[in-house]
PDB file of all heavy atoms in Angstrom:
ATOM      1  N   LYS P 279     -12.359   2.486   4.962  1.00 97.00           N
ATOM      2  CA  LYS P 279     -11.066   1.914   5.423  1.00 97.00           C
ATOM      3  C   LYS P 279     -10.200   1.707   4.219  1.00 97.00           C
ATOM      4  O   LYS P 279     -10.697   1.240   3.169  1.00 97.00           O
ATOM      5  CB  LYS P 279     -11.345   0.570   6.115  1.00 97.00           C
ATOM      6  CG  LYS P 279     -12.245   0.635   7.343  1.00 97.00           C
ATOM      7  CD  LYS P 279     -11.513   1.186   8.537  1.00 97.00           C
ATOM      8  CE  LYS P 279     -12.220   0.863   9.857  1.00 97.00           C
ATOM      9  NZ  LYS P 279     -13.616   1.284   9.881  1.00 97.00           N
ATOM     10  N   ILE P 281      -7.117  -0.352   2.689  1.00 98.00           N
ATOM     11  CA  ILE P 281      -6.481  -1.649   2.984  1.00 98.00           C
ATOM     12  C   ILE P 281      -5.599  -2.061   1.801  1.00 98.00           C
ATOM     13  O   ILE P 281      -6.067  -2.152   0.666  1.00 98.00           O
ATOM     14  CB  ILE P 281      -7.525  -2.746   3.268  1.00 98.00           C
ATOM     15  CG1 ILE P 281      -8.423  -2.317   4.420  1.00 98.00           C
ATOM     16  CG2 ILE P 281      -6.835  -4.080   3.563  1.00 98.00           C
ATOM     17  CD1 ILE P 281      -9.733  -3.029   4.491  1.00 98.00           C
ATOM     18  N   TYR P 427     -14.810   0.960   1.402  1.00 98.00           N
ATOM     19  CA  TYR P 427     -13.525   0.257   1.319  1.00 98.00           C
ATOM     20  C   TYR P 427     -12.728   0.778   0.136  1.00 98.00           C
ATOM     21  O   TYR P 427     -13.222   0.852  -0.963  1.00 98.00           O
ATOM     22  CB  TYR P 427     -13.724  -1.289   1.174  1.00 98.00           C
ATOM     23  CG  TYR P 427     -14.297  -1.906   2.394  1.00 98.00           C
ATOM     24  CD1 TYR P 427     -15.660  -2.121   2.547  1.00 98.00           C
ATOM     25  CD2 TYR P 427     -13.481  -2.306   3.481  1.00 98.00           C
ATOM     26  CE1 TYR P 427     -16.194  -2.701   3.677  1.00 98.00           C
ATOM     27  CE2 TYR P 427     -14.002  -2.885   4.611  1.00 98.00           C
ATOM     28  CZ  TYR P 427     -15.369  -3.060   4.716  1.00 98.00           C
ATOM     29  OH  TYR P 427     -15.867  -3.646   5.884  1.00 98.00           O
ATOM     30  N   TYR P 449      -4.935  -0.657   7.164  1.00 98.00           N
ATOM     31  CA  TYR P 449      -4.565  -2.033   7.342  1.00 98.00           C
ATOM     32  C   TYR P 449      -3.817  -2.545   6.102  1.00 98.00           C
ATOM     33  O   TYR P 449      -3.886  -1.939   5.052  1.00 98.00           O
ATOM     34  CB  TYR P 449      -5.772  -2.937   7.499  1.00 98.00           C
ATOM     35  CG  TYR P 449      -6.745  -2.559   8.618  1.00 98.00           C
ATOM     36  CD1 TYR P 449      -7.905  -1.865   8.331  1.00 98.00           C
ATOM     37  CD2 TYR P 449      -6.470  -2.932   9.939  1.00 98.00           C
ATOM     38  CE1 TYR P 449      -8.809  -1.541   9.357  1.00 98.00           C
ATOM     39  CE2 TYR P 449      -7.352  -2.599  10.936  1.00 98.00           C
ATOM     40  CZ  TYR P 449      -8.516  -1.900  10.676  1.00 98.00           C
ATOM     41  OH  TYR P 449      -9.379  -1.617  11.660  1.00 98.00           O
ATOM     42  N   LYS P 488      -2.089  -1.408  10.633  1.00 96.00           N
ATOM     43  CA  LYS P 488      -2.108  -2.690  11.267  1.00 96.00           C
ATOM     44  C   LYS P 488      -2.150  -3.823  10.261  1.00 96.00           C
ATOM     45  O   LYS P 488      -2.754  -3.688   9.186  1.00 96.00           O
ATOM     46  CB  LYS P 488      -3.362  -2.833  12.172  1.00 96.00           C
ATOM     47  CG  LYS P 488      -3.402  -1.827  13.319  1.00 96.00           C
ATOM     48  CD  LYS P 488      -4.661  -2.010  14.143  1.00 96.00           C
ATOM     49  CE  LYS P 488      -4.667  -1.070  15.339  1.00 96.00           C
ATOM     50  NZ  LYS P 488      -5.933  -1.227  16.134  1.00 96.00           N
ATOM     51  N   ASN P 489      -1.517  -4.921  10.636  1.00 96.00           N
ATOM     52  CA  ASN P 489      -1.619  -6.132   9.801  1.00 96.00           C
ATOM     53  C   ASN P 489      -2.958  -6.776  10.119  1.00 96.00           C
ATOM     54  O   ASN P 489      -3.214  -7.233  11.215  1.00 96.00           O
ATOM     55  CB  ASN P 489      -0.468  -7.090  10.165  1.00 96.00           C
ATOM     56  CG  ASN P 489      -0.387  -8.253   9.184  1.00 96.00           C
ATOM     57  OD1 ASN P 489      -1.376  -8.716   8.674  1.00 96.00           O
ATOM     58  ND2 ASN P 489       0.845  -8.778   8.961  1.00 96.00           N
ATOM     59  N   LEU P 490      -3.844  -6.809   9.107  1.00 97.00           N
ATOM     60  CA  LEU P 490      -5.165  -7.407   9.287  1.00 97.00           C
ATOM     61  C   LEU P 490      -5.094  -8.922   9.419  1.00 97.00           C
ATOM     62  O   LEU P 490      -5.937  -9.535  10.042  1.00 97.00           O
ATOM     63  CB  LEU P 490      -6.083  -7.008   8.115  1.00 97.00           C
ATOM     64  CG  LEU P 490      -7.568  -7.088   8.375  1.00 97.00           C
ATOM     65  CD1 LEU P 490      -8.026  -6.081   9.414  1.00 97.00           C
ATOM     66  CD2 LEU P 490      -8.321  -6.834   7.055  1.00 97.00           C
ATOM     67  N   GLY P 491      -4.048  -9.484   8.814  1.00 97.00           N
ATOM     68  CA  GLY P 491      -3.879 -10.928   8.939  1.00 97.00           C
ATOM     69  C   GLY P 491      -3.281 -11.582   7.699  1.00 97.00           C
ATOM     70  O   GLY P 491      -3.186 -10.957   6.632  1.00 97.00           O
ATOM     71  N   ILE P 492      -2.893 -12.814   7.817  1.00 97.00           N
ATOM     72  CA  ILE P 492      -2.375 -13.658   6.732  1.00 97.00           C
ATOM     73  C   ILE P 492      -3.571 -14.394   6.118  1.00 97.00           C
ATOM     74  O   ILE P 492      -4.340 -15.035   6.849  1.00 97.00           O
ATOM     75  CB  ILE P 492      -1.351 -14.697   7.251  1.00 97.00           C
ATOM     76  CG1 ILE P 492      -0.180 -13.968   7.927  1.00 97.00           C
ATOM     77  CG2 ILE P 492      -0.897 -15.585   6.133  1.00 97.00           C
ATOM     78  CD1 ILE P 492       0.756 -13.286   7.022  1.00 97.00           C
ATOM     79  N   ILE P 493      -3.665 -14.366   4.817  1.00 98.00           N
ATOM     80  CA  ILE P 493      -4.687 -15.218   4.137  1.00 98.00           C
ATOM     81  C   ILE P 493      -3.849 -16.274   3.341  1.00 98.00           C
ATOM     82  O   ILE P 493      -3.116 -15.928   2.439  1.00 98.00           O
ATOM     83  CB  ILE P 493      -5.575 -14.444   3.190  1.00 98.00           C
ATOM     84  CG1 ILE P 493      -6.387 -13.415   3.984  1.00 98.00           C
ATOM     85  CG2 ILE P 493      -6.509 -15.394   2.439  1.00 98.00           C
ATOM     86  CD1 ILE P 493      -7.316 -12.538   3.132  1.00 98.00           C
ATOM     87  N   ARG P 526      -2.324 -12.562  13.125  1.00 96.00           N
ATOM     88  CA  ARG P 526      -3.277 -13.657  13.009  1.00 96.00           C
ATOM     89  C   ARG P 526      -3.268 -14.267  11.607  1.00 96.00           C
ATOM     90  O   ARG P 526      -2.866 -13.634  10.658  1.00 96.00           O
ATOM     91  CB  ARG P 526      -4.693 -13.200  13.374  1.00 96.00           C
ATOM     92  CG  ARG P 526      -5.356 -12.428  12.295  1.00 96.00           C
ATOM     93  CD  ARG P 526      -6.777 -12.016  12.649  1.00 96.00           C
ATOM     94  NE  ARG P 526      -6.942 -10.571  12.385  1.00 96.00           N
ATOM     95  CZ  ARG P 526      -7.623  -9.748  13.159  1.00 96.00           C
ATOM     96  NH1 ARG P 526      -8.215 -10.222  14.265  1.00 96.00           N
ATOM     97  NH2 ARG P 526      -7.739  -8.479  12.892  1.00 96.00           N
ATOM     98  N   VAL P 527      -3.766 -15.487  11.527  1.00 97.00           N
ATOM     99  CA  VAL P 527      -4.017 -16.146  10.237  1.00 97.00           C
ATOM    100  C   VAL P 527      -5.539 -16.247  10.079  1.00 97.00           C
ATOM    101  O   VAL P 527      -6.255 -16.646  11.006  1.00 97.00           O
ATOM    102  CB  VAL P 527      -3.398 -17.554  10.189  1.00 97.00           C
ATOM    103  CG1 VAL P 527      -3.709 -18.229   8.848  1.00 97.00           C
ATOM    104  CG2 VAL P 527      -1.898 -17.473  10.405  1.00 97.00           C
ATOM    105  N   PHE P 528      -6.051 -15.812   8.939  1.00 98.00           N
ATOM    106  CA  PHE P 528      -7.482 -15.926   8.666  1.00 98.00           C
ATOM    107  C   PHE P 528      -7.913 -17.411   8.841  1.00 98.00           C
ATOM    108  O   PHE P 528      -7.232 -18.307   8.385  1.00 98.00           O
ATOM    109  CB  PHE P 528      -7.808 -15.455   7.263  1.00 98.00           C
ATOM    110  CG  PHE P 528      -8.046 -13.984   7.134  1.00 98.00           C
ATOM    111  CD1 PHE P 528      -7.052 -13.068   7.430  1.00 98.00           C
ATOM    112  CD2 PHE P 528      -9.260 -13.492   6.663  1.00 98.00           C
ATOM    113  CE1 PHE P 528      -7.248 -11.683   7.308  1.00 98.00           C
ATOM    114  CE2 PHE P 528      -9.468 -12.113   6.528  1.00 98.00           C
ATOM    115  CZ  PHE P 528      -8.468 -11.224   6.846  1.00 98.00           C
ATOM    116  N   LYS P 529      -9.060 -17.588   9.479  1.00 97.00           N
ATOM    117  CA  LYS P 529      -9.550 -18.934   9.655  1.00 97.00           C
ATOM    118  C   LYS P 529      -9.932 -19.575   8.282  1.00 97.00           C
ATOM    119  O   LYS P 529      -9.798 -20.783   8.125  1.00 97.00           O
ATOM    120  CB  LYS P 529     -10.828 -18.927  10.552  1.00 97.00           C
ATOM    121  CG  LYS P 529     -10.547 -18.413  11.989  1.00 97.00           C
ATOM    122  CD  LYS P 529     -11.857 -18.458  12.808  1.00 97.00           C
ATOM    123  CE  LYS P 529     -11.656 -17.887  14.178  1.00 97.00           C
ATOM    124  NZ  LYS P 529     -11.440 -16.413  14.167  1.00 97.00           N
ATOM    125  N   ASN P 530     -10.420 -18.759   7.396  1.00 97.00           N
ATOM    126  CA  ASN P 530     -10.775 -19.262   6.044  1.00 97.00           C
ATOM    127  C   ASN P 530      -9.654 -19.032   5.055  1.00 97.00           C
ATOM    128  O   ASN P 530      -9.158 -17.922   4.927  1.00 97.00           O
ATOM    129  CB  ASN P 530     -12.027 -18.493   5.566  1.00 97.00           C
ATOM    130  CG  ASN P 530     -13.257 -18.817   6.398  1.00 97.00           C
ATOM    131  OD1 ASN P 530     -13.840 -19.873   6.278  1.00 97.00           O
ATOM    132  ND2 ASN P 530     -13.633 -17.876   7.283  1.00 97.00           N
ATOM    133  N   LEU P 562     -14.852 -15.985   3.712  1.00 98.00           N
ATOM    134  CA  LEU P 562     -13.626 -15.193   3.786  1.00 98.00           C
ATOM    135  C   LEU P 562     -13.891 -13.695   3.803  1.00 98.00           C
ATOM    136  O   LEU P 562     -13.281 -12.953   4.594  1.00 98.00           O
ATOM    137  CB  LEU P 562     -12.718 -15.562   2.557  1.00 98.00           C
ATOM    138  CG  LEU P 562     -11.395 -14.871   2.510  1.00 98.00           C
ATOM    139  CD1 LEU P 562     -10.509 -15.191   3.693  1.00 98.00           C
ATOM    140  CD2 LEU P 562     -10.650 -15.225   1.186  1.00 98.00           C
ATOM    141  N   THR P 563     -14.826 -13.202   2.944  1.00 98.00           N
ATOM    142  CA  THR P 563     -15.158 -11.808   2.928  1.00 98.00           C
ATOM    143  C   THR P 563     -15.805 -11.353   4.260  1.00 98.00           C
ATOM    144  O   THR P 563     -15.533 -10.272   4.777  1.00 98.00           O
ATOM    145  CB  THR P 563     -16.056 -11.462   1.747  1.00 98.00           C
ATOM    146  OG1 THR P 563     -15.430 -11.941   0.530  1.00 98.00           O
ATOM    147  CG2 THR P 563     -16.268  -9.988   1.631  1.00 98.00           C
ATOM    148  N   ASN P 564     -16.673 -12.208   4.783  1.00 98.00           N
ATOM    149  CA  ASN P 564     -17.318 -11.897   6.055  1.00 98.00           C
ATOM    150  C   ASN P 564     -16.254 -11.787   7.190  1.00 98.00           C
ATOM    151  O   ASN P 564     -16.327 -10.888   8.060  1.00 98.00           O
ATOM    152  CB  ASN P 564     -18.345 -12.946   6.449  1.00 98.00           C
ATOM    153  CG  ASN P 564     -19.633 -12.848   5.590  1.00 98.00           C
ATOM    154  OD1 ASN P 564     -19.835 -11.868   4.911  1.00 98.00           O
ATOM    155  ND2 ASN P 564     -20.396 -13.897   5.604  1.00 98.00           N
ATOM    156  N   GLU P 565     -15.275 -12.673   7.130  1.00 98.00           N
ATOM    157  CA  GLU P 565     -14.190 -12.613   8.118  1.00 98.00           C
ATOM    158  C   GLU P 565     -13.405 -11.333   7.956  1.00 98.00           C
ATOM    159  O   GLU P 565     -13.034 -10.665   8.939  1.00 98.00           O
ATOM    160  CB  GLU P 565     -13.302 -13.861   7.996  1.00 98.00           C
ATOM    161  CG  GLU P 565     -12.288 -14.001   9.074  1.00 98.00           C
ATOM    162  CD  GLU P 565     -11.425 -15.253   8.956  1.00 98.00           C
ATOM    163  OE1 GLU P 565     -11.607 -16.036   7.976  1.00 98.00           O
ATOM    164  OE2 GLU P 565     -10.553 -15.481   9.815  1.00 98.00           O
ATOM    165  N   PHE P 566     -13.093 -11.007   6.708  1.00 98.00           N
ATOM    166  CA  PHE P 566     -12.363  -9.798   6.352  1.00 98.00           C
ATOM    167  C   PHE P 566     -13.087  -8.573   6.931  1.00 98.00           C
ATOM    168  O   PHE P 566     -12.506  -7.676   7.587  1.00 98.00           O
ATOM    169  CB  PHE P 566     -12.237  -9.697   4.841  1.00 98.00           C
ATOM    170  CG  PHE P 566     -11.681  -8.431   4.286  1.00 98.00           C
ATOM    171  CD1 PHE P 566     -10.313  -8.269   4.099  1.00 98.00           C
ATOM    172  CD2 PHE P 566     -12.494  -7.371   3.908  1.00 98.00           C
ATOM    173  CE1 PHE P 566      -9.785  -7.122   3.597  1.00 98.00           C
ATOM    174  CE2 PHE P 566     -11.966  -6.204   3.370  1.00 98.00           C
ATOM    175  CZ  PHE P 566     -10.615  -6.096   3.229  1.00 98.00           C
ATOM    176  N   VAL P 567     -14.396  -8.478   6.699  1.00 98.00           N
ATOM    177  CA  VAL P 567     -15.215  -7.344   7.195  1.00 98.00           C
ATOM    178  C   VAL P 567     -15.192  -7.280   8.708  1.00 98.00           C
ATOM    179  O   VAL P 567     -15.035  -6.202   9.309  1.00 98.00           O
ATOM    180  CB  VAL P 567     -16.660  -7.438   6.664  1.00 98.00           C
ATOM    181  CG1 VAL P 567     -17.544  -6.457   7.358  1.00 98.00           C
ATOM    182  CG2 VAL P 567     -16.727  -7.258   5.160  1.00 98.00           C
ATOM    183  N   SER P 568     -15.307  -8.427   9.366  1.00 97.00           N
ATOM    184  CA  SER P 568     -15.366  -8.470  10.829  1.00 97.00           C
ATOM    185  C   SER P 568     -14.062  -7.893  11.413  1.00 97.00           C
ATOM    186  O   SER P 568     -14.070  -7.169  12.420  1.00 97.00           O
ATOM    187  CB  SER P 568     -15.628  -9.869  11.341  1.00 97.00           C
ATOM    188  OG  SER P 568     -14.517 -10.713  11.150  1.00 97.00           O
ATOM    189  N   TYR P 569     -12.936  -8.214  10.794  1.00 97.00           N
ATOM    190  CA  TYR P 569     -11.633  -7.712  11.328  1.00 97.00           C
ATOM    191  C   TYR P 569     -11.476  -6.195  11.070  1.00 97.00           C
ATOM    192  O   TYR P 569     -10.892  -5.506  11.908  1.00 97.00           O
ATOM    193  CB  TYR P 569     -10.468  -8.477  10.671  1.00 97.00           C
ATOM    194  CG  TYR P 569     -10.397  -9.932  11.015  1.00 97.00           C
ATOM    195  CD1 TYR P 569      -9.779 -10.813  10.172  1.00 97.00           C
ATOM    196  CD2 TYR P 569     -10.975 -10.437  12.193  1.00 97.00           C
ATOM    197  CE1 TYR P 569      -9.732 -12.217  10.468  1.00 97.00           C
ATOM    198  CE2 TYR P 569     -10.905 -11.766  12.504  1.00 97.00           C
ATOM    199  CZ  TYR P 569     -10.295 -12.656  11.628  1.00 97.00           C
ATOM    200  OH  TYR P 569     -10.198 -13.981  11.969  1.00 97.00           O
ATOM    201  N   THR P 570     -12.015  -5.690   9.978  1.00 96.00           N
ATOM    202  CA  THR P 570     -11.933  -4.248   9.710  1.00 96.00           C
ATOM    203  C   THR P 570     -12.828  -3.467  10.665  1.00 96.00           C
ATOM    204  O   THR P 570     -12.665  -2.251  10.798  1.00 96.00           O
ATOM    205  CB  THR P 570     -12.315  -3.922   8.270  1.00 96.00           C
ATOM    206  OG1 THR P 570     -13.692  -4.200   8.025  1.00 96.00           O
ATOM    207  CG2 THR P 570     -11.437  -4.671   7.282  1.00 96.00           C
ATOM    208  N   GLN P 571     -13.776  -4.125  11.292  1.00 92.00           N
ATOM    209  CA  GLN P 571     -14.705  -3.399  12.199  1.00 92.00           C
ATOM    210  C   GLN P 571     -14.345  -3.540  13.654  1.00 92.00           C
ATOM    211  O   GLN P 571     -15.007  -2.965  14.511  1.00 92.00           O
ATOM    212  CB  GLN P 571     -16.123  -3.964  11.993  1.00 92.00           C
ATOM    213  CG  GLN P 571     -16.688  -3.652  10.611  1.00 92.00           C
ATOM    214  CD  GLN P 571     -18.068  -4.277  10.346  1.00 92.00           C
ATOM    215  OE1 GLN P 571     -18.468  -5.221  11.071  1.00 92.00           O
ATOM    216  NE2 GLN P 571     -18.762  -3.784   9.330  1.00 92.00           N
ATOM    217  N   GLU P 572     -13.243  -4.268  13.949  1.00 87.00           N
ATOM    218  CA  GLU P 572     -12.856  -4.450  15.333  1.00 87.00           C
ATOM    219  C   GLU P 572     -12.607  -3.132  16.072  1.00 87.00           C
ATOM    220  O   GLU P 572     -12.958  -3.002  17.251  1.00 87.00           O
ATOM    221  CB  GLU P 572     -11.588  -5.321  15.403  1.00 87.00           C
ATOM    222  CG  GLU P 572     -11.862  -6.782  15.119  1.00 87.00           C
ATOM    223  CD  GLU P 572     -10.589  -7.604  15.133  1.00 87.00           C
ATOM    224  OE1 GLU P 572      -9.497  -7.065  14.985  1.00 87.00           O
ATOM    225  OE2 GLU P 572     -10.686  -8.836  15.329  1.00 87.00           O
ATOM    226  N   ASP P 573     -11.988  -2.207  15.385  1.00 74.00           N
ATOM    227  CA  ASP P 573     -11.616  -0.919  16.061  1.00 74.00           C
ATOM    228  C   ASP P 573     -12.838  -0.050  16.274  1.00 74.00           C
ATOM    229  O   ASP P 573     -12.738   0.960  17.012  1.00 74.00           O
ATOM    230  CB  ASP P 573     -10.595  -0.168  15.191  1.00 74.00           C
ATOM    231  CG  ASP P 573      -9.300  -0.881  15.101  1.00 74.00           C
ATOM    232  OD1 ASP P 573      -9.016  -1.709  15.984  1.00 74.00           O
ATOM    233  OD2 ASP P 573      -8.563  -0.679  14.116  1.00 74.00           O
ATOM    234  N   THR P 574     -13.935  -0.339  15.667  1.00 64.00           N
ATOM    235  CA  THR P 574     -15.116   0.528  15.800  1.00 64.00           C
ATOM    236  C   THR P 574     -16.127  -0.022  16.804  1.00 64.00           C
ATOM    237  O   THR P 574     -17.174   0.611  17.054  1.00 64.00           O
ATOM    238  CB  THR P 574     -15.840   0.688  14.427  1.00 64.00           C
ATOM    239  OG1 THR P 574     -16.240  -0.616  13.939  1.00 64.00           O
ATOM    240  CG2 THR P 574     -14.929   1.377  13.430  1.00 64.00           C
ATOM    241  N   LYS P 575     -15.855  -1.218  17.346  1.00 52.00           N
ATOM    242  CA  LYS P 575     -16.790  -1.824  18.289  1.00 52.00           C
ATOM    243  C   LYS P 575     -16.618  -1.239  19.661  1.00 52.00           C
ATOM    244  O   LYS P 575     -15.525  -0.852  20.039  1.00 52.00           O
ATOM    245  CB  LYS P 575     -16.566  -3.361  18.316  1.00 52.00           C
ATOM    246  CG  LYS P 575     -17.030  -4.026  17.030  1.00 52.00           C
ATOM    247  CD  LYS P 575     -16.761  -5.497  17.086  1.00 52.00           C
ATOM    248  CE  LYS P 575     -17.180  -6.193  15.781  1.00 52.00           C
ATOM    249  NZ  LYS P 575     -16.860  -7.636  15.805  1.00 52.00           N
TER     250      LYS P 575
END
Side-chain angles (χ1 to χ4, degrees):
K279 300 285 197 306
I281 303 160
Y427 291 95
Y449 304 101
K488 297 180 180 179
N489 189 328
L490 201 65
I492 301 287
I493 298 180
R526 79 178 129 219
V527 179
F528 274 61
K529 298 180 182 71
N530 294 283
L562 181 61
T563 305
N564 288 345
E565 187 177 3
F566 173 89
V567 169
S568 71
Y569 294 155
T570 66
Q571 294 176 342
E572 286 178 339
D573 294 336
T574 60
K575 291 177 181 177

